[in-house]
Each structure stands twice: as C-alpha cells, then as structure tokens.
Amino acid sequence: MATYTLVPGAGGQAWYWHRLVPELRKRGHEVVVVDLPAGDESAGLQEYADTVVKAIGDRTELILVAQSMGGLTAPLVCERLPIDLLVLLNAMVPVPGESGGAWWENTGQAQAMADQAIREGRTPSAEFDLEETFFHDVPPDVKAEALAKDEPPQSSTPFAEPWPLSTWPDTRTVFLQGRDDRLFPLDFQRRVVRERLGIPVDDMPGGHLLALSRPEELAERLEAYHVRPR
C-alpha cells in the first residue's frame, strides 16, 4: 500500500481531488489531501511546503502528486521527506532563482496558449475565460458544482519569491500531461520539461483538470507509475 499525497494548484483547495480520492482508495492506498494556505498573504512556498509535510506526518511509502502550481511546492517537500515518487501533473517546472511570476514569460506560456487556441479553431482572447480554459472537458455536474463555489483566493506571495532550491531534488520524478490542456499545451510542456528536467512527458486524454474530468483513468496511470520497476 502506498500513501498518495495530493497537492493542488492555484487556490490550494483539496476539493479539486475529490473524484480521484475514492479511486485511489479503491485500489488499496491511503490518500492524504492537502489544503494549502492560498488565501494567506504571509504564506510563501516554504509555508506551503510546511503544510504538506505536516499533513504527511510519519507516513511512509510516499507518492507525491502535484497539480499545476503545485509543481513549485512539491520539490521542496522532496528535500525534506523520503518521497518515493513525485508525479508532476500538468505542472509548472521552475528553475533555481526563478519566481513563479517570471515563469510565465520565461517559458513563453502566453504565446503557446494562443497558438494552441488557433490550432483548435478558437480565437485567442485577451481576457481569460475560466470555463473555456479549465472546464471544457469536465462533466457538466462537476463543472456546475465547481462554479457554484466561491472562487478560491490565491495570494501573489508564492509567485513573487525566487524558487529556493539550487537544483531539482534527487527524487524519482515522472511528468504526466493532459494532451487537451489549453493552459499548458502538450508541445509546450514537452519543451519546458525537456529543457528543465531532461525527462519525457507522458500524456493522456483530458485538459488541465484531469482529477475532475478523468479520475478513473488518472488513477490507473498513477497506479502504473507506482508498480513500474525503477
């Protein structure tokens, strides 16, 4: 049995994982779901990492899954705990000294997102469209539940500070990307991950919110990583 610790992206809500949790438990695993202090202006990446470490406690056989912005926090946890496997899921990959805010321009995300829209026959918009970008492949009932919630706050603090590690942690790391992600397109992620981590990007159907849109298939992919020989 493994312990899956699930780190959300911007907004920090554990609710994001609520459809994946029963799928992992059904496969015999323990699951730790983390609420990050996203609304706390005083909380930076170290405080986010503290929150994850505290949630894990003394558990072992640890698999850490980091969604989107969670890619800034998860490596810090790997420096502090014996993580067996880090799964980056549609995640941001920083380099030493780079702030989360600078990541967007440094990687060329905006142009990649616009190019993806054109390829899909959509008009690149100057205004961010939450539903079009994030919920285009999420089931209608799940989408309605998400949009009925108050939009979670996200402090700018963790985006403003330089990423504090001097190198990527020596933790077995895999990268899984939704091939229909409109925020971080697949070809964009392949380039960024190759340049920054030197590892391949695996892909599966679905957009940016895979845990909401395809929880069963995502659980199967995570289980395959878990049992894959090192």
Side-chain angles (χ1 to χ4, degrees), residues 113-114 116-124 132-133 180-182:
M113 183 177 174
Q116 181 72 9
I118 293 169
R119 283 194 295 270
E120 294 179 356
R122 296 180 288 111
T123 302
E132 180 180 270
T133 304
D180 308 305
D181 191 341
R182 293 177 173 176

Side-chain angles (χ1 to χ4, degrees), residues 29-111:
H29 302 296
E30 184 175 5
V31 184
V32 176
V33 195
V34 183
D35 268 312
L36 296 174
D40 183 351
E41 292 291 340
S42 69
L45 292 177
Q46 292 296 352
E47 287 73 26
Y48 283 38
D50 290 344
T51 302
V52 178
V53 169
K54 182 177 179 181
I56 292 172
D58 60 359
R59 295 174 176 88
T60 58
E61 298 187 43
L62 302 173
I63 298 176
L64 192 59
V65 183
Q67 159 76 15
S68 194
M69 178 192 171
L72 304 180
T73 300
L76 280 63
V77 178
C78 294
E79 285 285 281
R80 296 170 56 180
L81 292 176
I83 304 297
D84 295 321
L85 172 66
L86 170 59
V87 181
L88 296 171
L89 182 64
N90 291 348
M92 298 171 69
V93 177
V95 293
E98 177 184 62
S99 69
W103 178 92
W104 304 85
E105 183 175 354
N106 291 349
T107 59
Q109 182 274 341
Q111 186 62 56

Side-chain angles (χ1 to χ4, degrees), residues 106-185:
N106 291 349
T107 59
Q109 182 274 341
Q111 186 62 56
M113 183 177 174
D115 291 344
Q116 181 72 9
I118 293 169
R119 283 194 295 270
E120 294 179 356
R122 296 180 288 111
T123 302
S125 174
E127 294 187 7
F128 184 78
D129 188 319
L130 182 72
E131 293 189 44
E132 180 180 270
T133 304
F134 288 142
F135 291 97
H136 57 96
D137 67 328
V138 174
D141 58 330
V142 181
K143 172 183 170 181
E145 183 180 356
L147 295 178
K149 294 176 172 289
D150 291 335
E151 184 173 353
Q154 176 56 63
S155 161
S156 62
T157 303
F159 286 103
E161 58 189 34
W163 194 64
L165 299 185
S166 60
T167 187
W168 197 263
D170 186 20
T171 299
R172 180 188 168 210
T173 301
V174 297
F175 199 106
L176 178 59
Q177 179 70 25
R179 67 177 70 116
D180 308 305
D181 191 341
R182 293 177 173 176
L183 183 68
F184 301 156

